[in-house]
Amino acid sequence: MSARAHPTDGDLNPATDGGDLPIKSLPHRHKVGVPPKQNMFQDFMYTFKETFFHDDPLRQFKDQPKSKKFMLGLQSVFPVFDWGRNYNLKKFRGDLIAGLTIASLCIPQDIGYAKLANLDPKYGLYSSFVPPLVYACMGSSRDIAIGPVAVVSLLLGTLLRAEIDPNTNPDEYLRLAFTATFFAGVTEAALGFFRLGFLIDFLSHAAVVGFMGGAAITIALQQLKGFLGIKTFTKKTDIIAVLDSVFSSAHHGWNWQTILIGASFLTFLLISKFIGKKSKRLFWIPAIAPLISVIISTFFVYITRADKQGVQIVKHLDKGINPSSFNQIYFSGHYLAKGIRIGVVAGMVALTEAVAIGRTFAAMKDYQIDGNKEMVALGVMNVVGSMSSCYVATGSFSRSAVNFMAGCQTAVSNIIMSIVVLLTLLFLTPLFKYTPNAILAAIIINAVIPLIDIQAAILIFKVDKLDFVACMGAFFGVIFVSVEIGLLIAVSISFAKILLQVTRPRTAVLGNIPRTSVYRNIQQYPEATMVPGVLTIRVDSAIYFSNSNYVRERIQRWLLEEEEKVKAAGLPRIQFLIIEMSPVTDIDTSGIHSLEDLYKSLQKRDIQLILANPGPLVIGKLHLSHFADMLGQDNIFLTVADAVESCCPKISDEV
């Protein structure tokens, strides 16, 4: 019987069916083993450990003296005590260069990102002083550079503005920002402490690509206010409102001097970035280009007094280090719940970005980071930051990339960056008075361009159309509605995809690869042939209450379709239905009831149900529920080949 006549639902894991050895016959038939019974407590503890402690974090404490355990515990919470023991001058040289390089990049970015969050520029600098110091002591990544980032700044600013107008109530707005930062840190630390880091994995890569791309375009559009010198600008973030605001002010609100400054330095920044990509040895050119742009543009505005001609400038920037803000955090009252809600959302997005960045560079340097420890470090960092006039900080991809290429060795590069920011706060902030807003807009536009990953979107489209829907849903949600709606769409579609895969698992009809006892998906292997009188189906998922009825109905539909084809071709009728159970990792009572219903339905049609290679969890539950006895031990086989040989020994010998 030709395999080409039988389309299948797909093949999630073609290597997990029962036939494993390319041999002609099986002289000895093994029975499916039943695992030893475990009591409920043992079973619960195993599941609990695999869910929350799969990496066995306490293994290093085994068989160690108390003094050693104390030191290991200290190193676990503060990794600086681990890598600090082997720190040397050679490593410091690399960290010094990297720290100075990322400092030159972060200072102008921080001023611009604070404006995205509708905060005074000094709060951007504050957020690159204290948080990196905390992370350097508690973080496990050697390459991540800490500070404000564009997407989180925009998200925070959008959510805060929806509650309080920063222009009419700046003090309350600032207090809510600190409150949101505090609870963002609490959220991050709690997820890490309770080992719930897997929750951030529910936001799929495709959804993140779409969300980041949409956020990048939204951020770039927001910069048109400073780039074009527009004084009256919409408070909305959707593309239609922004473009309407831009073009409605074209005849009277644009300032040609501002446009000239912005366009000139944006061109310079893009050229420097191109040079850096062409030669890795010239990585420092795009890294210092923003600071050079700020210095030159500030000097130009100062000597020409372009601010008198309508060029908007930063104006006064307070000197001094971060003041305490603990007493400004809302721990009660009307804004507490709002601060918690905004903090949770901002914290989750910040966490997703930081962990992804940390894992990326750890893989490039072949070392491991503990995701849960990272979350605790980032959480404590933001909690401390909220008490020292900082807003939400996280890992910056652009700065981390520069940090990596500059040759950083440890988190000391973050300390160097913090020291440079400290010196800037103490002595250099008055120099930014004449910095034009247009240059900050150009720096931010240049920084967010890499977030629009067109190649990733194309790859997602080619590989998985449903992933592409999630990507585009998040993208259009951000640019046409708002950042928070785009994020909600991203999360919703990610969950919808999980539910779809769980409730509608793939199944496949298997055929025999000629001259072997291997059975594979006939759609993937057109040369595979089906054995007359036997239908072999593989279920590519655990069978739970959410999909048990679908699995039973899909198997029955496969059988009906096959019977129609067999009847039309005049071939022997189907007498045996073999279900390949290798991919079925688990089954619940609903799944067992579905198998029972399927078995009874087949019995009425004089078709024998056979199971091949059920796993330990599955076979254990089948025995406990007595379904194995109902089916018969002789109808449960180790491999598909064993099952086929038992059903049709003569045909099997001829294969």
Side-chain angles (χ1 to χ4, degrees), residues 2 88 188 216 244-245 258-259 303 361 388 501 546 576 593:
S2 173
N88 53 44
E188 293 169 337
D244 179 64
S245 181
T258 300
I259 297 172
I303 61 172
F361 289 106
S388 53
Q501 290 177 338
S546 58
F576 301 95
H593 284 310

Side-chain angles (χ1 to χ4, degrees), residues 15-243:
T16 56
D17 63 81
D20 295 320
L21 302 173
I23 57 178
K24 185 173 182 180
S25 62
L26 299 170
H28 179 66
R29 187 175 301 137
H30 294 277
K31 291 184 177 181
V32 175
V34 181
K37 291 183 179 180
Q38 286 186 319
N39 62 42
M40 187 169 63
F41 178 75
Q42 289 176 322
D43 189 47
F44 171 79
M45 288 305 297
Y46 175 79
T47 304
F48 181 81
K49 180 180 177 182
E50 287 302 308
T51 302
F52 299 103
F53 300 96
H54 62 280
D55 55 345
D56 193 12
L58 301 179
R59 65 186 180 279
Q60 60 181 331
F61 294 92
K62 293 176 182 177
D63 304 321
Q64 297 290 346
K66 289 184 178 180
S67 58
K68 181 68 172 176
K69 287 181 179 179
F70 174 77
M71 194 61 196
L72 288 172
L74 196 63
Q75 292 173 358
S76 179
V77 178
F78 300 100
V80 64
F81 288 109
D82 183 19
W83 55 260
R85 294 180 304 167
N86 302 315
Y87 200 72
N88 53 44
L89 187 60
K90 182 180 179 181
K91 290 182 178 180
F92 177 72
R93 190 182 302 116
D95 287 334
L96 178 63
I97 295 172
L100 293 173
T101 306
I102 59 175
S104 67
L105 178 62
C106 87
I107 292 171
Q109 282 187 349
D110 291 344
I111 295 173
Y113 292 160
K115 285 182 171 290
L116 271 180
N118 304 310
L119 295 170
D120 192 274
K122 65 184 178 183
Y123 294 106
L125 294 174
Y126 289 165
S127 301
S128 278
F129 171 45
V130 174
L133 293 176
V134 178
Y135 182 84
C137 297
M138 299 187 67
S140 56
S141 173
R142 305 171 194 167
D143 304 281
I144 196 169
I146 297 296
V149 297
V151 173
V152 176
S153 297
L154 175 67
L155 177 63
L156 191 66
T158 303
L159 294 175
L160 291 173
R161 184 189 281 273
E163 303 298 337
I164 301 175
D165 189 328
N167 297 317
T168 56
N169 296 298
D171 293 337
E172 288 186 354
Y173 183 90
L174 183 61
R175 291 189 65 183
L176 188 59
F178 293 150
T179 305
T181 301
F182 177 83
F183 286 106
V186 170
T187 300
E188 293 169 337
L191 288 174
F193 181 79
F194 293 110
R195 306 188 68 80
L196 297 173
F198 61 85
L199 292 177
I200 65 172
D201 294 331
F202 282 103
L203 196 61
S204 69
H205 170 69
V208 171
V209 168
F211 174 75
M212 289 296 186
I217 291 176
T218 301
I219 291 167
L221 290 172
Q222 289 289 308
Q223 300 315 301
L224 292 178
K225 176 186 178 183
F227 194 85
L228 302 175
I230 301 172
K231 294 182 179 180
T232 305
F233 202 70
T234 180
K235 296 178 181 179
K236 297 180 180 179
T237 59
D238 64 280
I239 188 171
I240 296 174
V242 170
L243 291 180

Side-chain angles (χ1 to χ4, degrees), residues 478-490:
V478 171
I479 65 172
F480 282 107
V481 187
S482 64
V483 177
E484 59 267 35
I485 294 299
L487 182 62
L488 180 62
I489 291 174

